[in-house]
Amino acid sequence: MLDEISEIARQAGLLIKSCSVSPNKASEKEGKGNFVTEFDMKIQRFLKEKLKDLIPEAEFFGEENGEDDMRPCRLAFVVDPIDGTTNFIRDFKHSCISICLLKDNLPYIGVVYNPYLDEMFCAQTKNGAYLNGNPIRVSNMGLNNSLISFGTSPYYIDKADKTFETAKTLFKYAADLRRCGCAALDICYVAAGRCDLYFEYTLSPWDFAAGSVILKEAGGIIITSGYKELDYTKKCAVVASNPVIFKEFKNLIDF
Ligand code: IPD
Ligand code: CA
Ligand code: CA
C-alpha cells in the first residue's frame, strides 16, 4: 500500500513540475495571502481518482474540498495536493504533495513528496521512516546551536504576535531560524535531522497528518497546544521536534 501511494504521489509530482503559473493567475481564498490555482484543483482531482481506485471505501478529505474540519471515520485519505502554494506560485521550488491514510482517525501511512528534489519521505506505523528508501532519524541536538523552523500561520493574522514572540525566544539560543513555506516538508526535515524543531500556531490536518507518521517513526515527537496529542480531524497548533530539544522547549514556552 505504501509503495502504491508513493507512486501516486510521484505521478502528481510530475504534474506539479509540468505546470507553470503566474502570480496573477491565482485566486484568493479566505484569510490573508491564501491562494489557490487551477493546478491545486487539478492535482487534487487526480489524487482523489487514483486514491479512490486504490481503496474505494476510504473517505477523501483534500484541502480544496472547502471543508475546514473532517468527519471522524474508519478509513480516510487526508491530502494536500500542493503544500506550499505560495512557493509554487512564485516558482520558489519548495512545495510537496502530502498524503496521509488515517485508520480510525489516527495516521497509519504518510507520504510526502518533493518533486523538485525528487525526495520521497514515507512511513507506515511501526515500520520506520524512509527518505528515498533509506532510513531516517531525528537529530539529538539540544536548543543551543539548534536549527529551528517555524510557520507563520499566514492565513490567521491573530497568531502573528505569539508566533514571533516564540520565534524570538528560541532565536536567542538557536544557531538560526528558517521559514520555508511548506509545513509538511518542515515536519519531514525534523524527521530527517535537517532541522531540530518546528512549530506553527495554526495548521490543518492535511498539513501535518502525513508528516506526523514520518516524524514519529523517525523517533520524533509531535504535539498540539497544552502539550496534548494532536486531533487529526481539526485545525491545531503543532510542535514537531526531536526528544532532546522538546524538553527544553517545554520548559521555555507556554505552547
Ligand atoms: C501552507 C504552508 C505554509 C504554512 C501554512 C500552510 P498551503 O499550506 O504549509 O508553510 O505556513 O500554515 O497553510 O496553503 O500552501 O497548502
Ligand atoms: Ca498546506
Ligand atoms: Ca495546499
Side-chain angles (χ1 to χ4, degrees), residues 96-116:
C96 68
I97 293 123
S98 173
I99 304 173
C100 183
L101 178 63
L102 298 181
K103 246 187 184 180
D104 297 321
N105 310 308
L106 290 176
Y108 177 57
I109 284 177
V111 169
V112 172
Y113 181 57
N114 174 354
Y116 301 102

Side-chain angles (χ1 to χ4, degrees), residues 40 63-64 80-85:
D40 297 75
E63 173 168 14
E64 311 309 340
D80 196 338
I82 305 180
D83 185 35
T85 294

Side-chain angles (χ1 to χ4, degrees), residues 48-148:
K48 184 171 183 180
E49 191 187 310
K50 297 285 177 185
L51 294 171
K52 276 284 197 187
D53 280 351
L54 193 62
I55 312 184
E57 66 276 24
E59 299 278 344
F60 181 95
F61 297 100
E63 173 168 14
E64 311 309 340
N65 281 12
E67 297 168 56
D68 265 357
D69 293 340
M70 297 156 26
R71 284 181 309 285
C73 44
R74 205 183 70 73
L75 273 180
F77 283 111
V78 185
V79 171
D80 196 338
I82 305 180
D83 185 35
T85 294
T86 302
N87 283 351
F88 170 69
I89 292 168
R90 305 303 301 264
D91 200 24
F92 210 88
K93 297 189 172 24
H94 186 78
S95 306
C96 68
I97 293 123
S98 173
I99 304 173
C100 183
L101 178 63
L102 298 181
K103 246 187 184 180
D104 297 321
N105 310 308
L106 290 176
Y108 177 57
I109 284 177
V111 169
V112 172
Y113 181 57
N114 174 354
Y116 301 102
L117 295 177
D118 188 23
E119 287 194 327
M120 181 75 71
F121 296 89
C122 64
Q124 179 172 328
T125 303
K126 298 202 173 89
N127 270 309
Y130 298 87
L131 165 55
N132 290 350
N134 300 310
I136 52 172
R137 199 77 205 151
V138 291
S139 70
N140 57 10
M141 191 85 176
L143 191 51
N144 276 329
N145 288 329
S146 57
L147 187 58
I148 296 197

Side-chain angles (χ1 to χ4, degrees), residues 38 40-50:
E38 62 181 294
D40 297 75
M41 311 302 284
K42 182 176 160 184
I43 291 161
Q44 178 160 307
R45 280 197 298 274
F46 170 84
L47 290 168
K48 184 171 183 180
E49 191 187 310
K50 297 285 177 185

